[in-house]
């Protein structure tokens, strides 16, 4: 009997120790998860898109624009002349971006040039094919030629194809006008090319830098004399921020802003608020249009467009650990330390 009681006490003690160990392990797991959980939050999702501001166009250009909109692209006009319009349509899907640029006659809607570009990714070939399916009929691309072009894009090598209506140049690793992908010259080998917009933000760069300093930033000029890098003391609110300007005494050609966080998941809304504030420091009709574009983009995962000919873009990186939203208003005429082509 005594032996039985001793054995029973041992079993009970073992059970107590196991239960205590399990409780301690559960507490440790909870504490670890509590510490790690904030860093495992992804950026808040989005369902919106940037505004579509492209003017109505007749004929094939209008049909191509509508087909791209059906794929989720939004369009705006970069360069508008008396006879032609240069249109840019883009979309953001996760970390990947895709764009299509058209040069078309305003009166007839005839498409002179199509240039497509997409980030290299496992889905880039599929994206190119979807774009060609959309714009091919609108530009009169025969199915046989479209199949040849699909094969060339899928091969991921630099290729030039001579087609019945013109030529197609596929760029795999090289970049054409900062856009990787396929260039389709509808007007033939000697057809027109895309022009860069010469629009700038018509505010002296030092006016923006002075406004930044009035709002608590310290701005410095690095070796490139046209750039102003601006920092302010860390607010210790879990967000990191980078702000810079580039320009001259008459115009600003770049406003760059990045907002990052490890454990917040609202970098997009923070970026939109901060960029809206920055563009409001010097109030002009142009900055009001840019701020209206931002307000209309509040729920977009990123995107690009032209406001009064001036490119504006942003992108959300929704990683598990560091989250980031970054974007820029940047004149196409700007070339780092050579801004001469931006001058009137």
């Amino acid at each position: 009997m005594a032996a039985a009681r001793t054995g029973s006490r041992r079993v009970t003690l073992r059970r107590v120790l196991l239960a205590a160990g399990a409780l301690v392990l559960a507490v440790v797991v909870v504490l670890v998860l509590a510490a790690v959980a904030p860093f495992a939050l992804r950026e808040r999702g989005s369902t919106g898109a940037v505004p579509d501001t492209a003017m109505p166009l007749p004929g094939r250009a209008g049909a191509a624009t509508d087909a791209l909109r059906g794929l989720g692209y939004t369009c705006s006009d970069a360069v508008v002349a008396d006879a032609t319009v240069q249109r840019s349509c883009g979309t953001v899907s996760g970390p990947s971006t895709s764009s299509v640029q058209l040069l078309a006659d305003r009166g007839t809607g005839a498409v002179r040039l199509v240039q497509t570009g997409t980030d290299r990714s496992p889905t880039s070939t599929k994206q190119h094919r979807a774009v060609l399916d959309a714009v091919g009929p609108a530009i009169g691309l025969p199915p046989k030629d479209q199949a040849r072009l699909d094969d060339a894009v899928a091969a991921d090598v630099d290729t030039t194809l001579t087609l019945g209506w013109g030529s197609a140049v596929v760029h795999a690793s090289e970049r054409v006008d900062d856009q990787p992908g396929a260039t389709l010259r509808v007007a033939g080998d000697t057809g027109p090319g895309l022009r860069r917009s010469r629009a700038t933000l018509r505010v002296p760069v030092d006016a923006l830098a002075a406004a930044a300093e009035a709002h608590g930033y310290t701005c410095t000029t690095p070796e490139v004399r046209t750039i102003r890098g601006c920092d302010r003391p860390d607010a210790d609110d879990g967000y990191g921020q980078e702000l810079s300007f580039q320009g001259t005494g008459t115009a600003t050609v770049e406003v760059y802003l990045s907002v990052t966080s490890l454990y917040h998941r609202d970098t997009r809304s923070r970026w939109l608020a901060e960029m809206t504030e920055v563009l409001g420091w010097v109030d002009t009709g142009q900055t009001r249009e840019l701020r209206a574009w931002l307000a209309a983009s509040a729920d977009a995962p990123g995107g690009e467009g032209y406001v009064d000919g001036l490119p504006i873009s942003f992108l959300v990186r929704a990683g598990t650990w560091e989250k980031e939203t970054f974007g820029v208003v940047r004149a196409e005429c700007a070339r780092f330390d050579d801004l001469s082509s931006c001058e009137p």
Side-chain angles (χ1 to χ4, degrees), residues 138-330:
I139 63 177
L141 181 63
K144 182 179 178 180
D145 285 345
Q146 182 172 326
R148 292 175 61 199
L149 191 53
D150 281 340
D151 291 341
V153 172
D156 199 26
V157 295
D158 292 355
T159 308
T160 299
L161 302 177
T162 300
L163 308 174
W165 46 266
S167 65
V169 183
V170 179
H171 295 268
S173 57
E174 299 295 324
R175 300 175 73 87
V176 176
D177 291 338
D178 296 326
Q179 291 292 341
T183 301
L184 319 181
R185 290 194 173 276
V186 179
D189 293 340
T190 59
L194 295 173
R195 292 190 296 160
R196 290 182 176 272
S197 170
R198 298 183 70 248
T200 61
L201 186 61
R202 295 182 290 275
V203 174
V205 68
D206 284 328
L208 279 174
E213 293 189 331
H215 287 79
Y217 287 83
T218 298
C219 297
T220 58
T221 301
E223 292 182 6
V224 180
R225 306 300 296 175
T226 60
I227 293 177
R228 307 289 182 269
C230 300
D231 296 296
R232 63 181 171 187
D234 189 355
D236 196 25
D237 59 359
Y239 288 98
Q241 186 169 303
E242 180 182 346
L243 175 66
S244 65
F245 309 107
Q246 185 178 16
T248 66
T250 59
T252 297
V253 298
E254 179 178 292
V255 179
Y256 173 83
L257 176 67
S258 169
V259 173
T260 58
S261 179
L262 285 176
Y263 57 87
H264 287 303
R265 59 193 191 118
D266 290 313
T267 63
R268 179 184 57 203
S269 59
R270 178 71 170 244
W271 182 89
L272 287 164
E274 293 288 338
M275 184 61 106
T276 299
E277 178 186 344
V278 169
L279 292 173
W281 287 342
V282 180
D283 187 39
T284 67
Q286 195 179 29
T287 58
R288 285 192 291 273
E289 287 187 44
L290 288 166
R291 285 149 54 200
W293 187 92
L294 291 174
S297 306
D299 195 37
E304 59 185 23
Y306 288 83
V307 176
D308 195 18
L310 185 60
I312 180 171
S313 62
F314 72 99
L315 185 64
V316 181
R317 288 179 177 165
T320 301
W321 301 104
E322 184 176 70
K323 278 73 70 175
E324 179 184 22
T325 299
F326 62 97
V328 64
V329 178
R330 189 174 195 276

Side-chain angles (χ1 to χ4, degrees), residues 52-63 65-66 69 75-77 80 83-85 87 104-109:
D52 189 307
T53 59
M55 68 170 63
L57 284 176
R60 288 181 170 179
T65 301
D66 289 341
R69 286 170 175 155
C75 303
S76 57
D77 296 328
V80 179
T84 61
V85 59
R87 174 158 297 173
D105 289 328
R106 291 182 63 178
T108 65

